[in-house]
Amino acid sequence: PFAYAIRAFVVNEMLSPRWDGSGVQALESFDFKTDHEWVWIGVGFQWAFTLAVVILSSLVLTFADTRSRLQ
């Protein structure tokens, strides 16, 4: 799943103007998709993962019995 985020970072970097088209060639040599939609898929994945971690952490901290059983 983190491959979406890494792919988004790579595509975003290689499609920047400072690569002057050689970034697209490098991406295609490694069979990367060169569409900008991969950047937004990665951003969406990061937001969804962060939201899931926050919700699950909140639920665990809310319902976990934190009192020591030895007291």
Side-chain angles (χ1 to χ4, degrees):
F2 283 107
Y4 290 117
I6 293 170
R7 183 178 300 262
F9 294 140
V10 170
V11 170
N12 188 40
E13 175 64 26
M14 297 304 249
L15 292 180
S16 68
R18 66 179 171 184
W19 284 93
D20 294 329
S22 62
V24 174
Q25 292 172 351
L27 288 173
E28 289 174 349
S29 71
F30 290 103
D31 291 330
F32 273 76
K33 307 284 188 205
T34 57
D35 302 329
H36 248 27
E37 69 185 26
W38 283 102
V39 174
W40 294 111
I41 290 171
V43 169
F45 170 77
Q46 289 293 349
W47 277 106
F49 184 76
T50 302
L51 184 65
V53 167
V54 168
I55 289 171
L56 289 174
S57 297
S58 298
L59 289 173
V60 167
L61 290 173
T62 299
F63 296 112
D65 187 15
T66 57
R67 291 176 285 155
S68 174
R69 298 200 188 278
L70 298 175
Q71 291 181 352

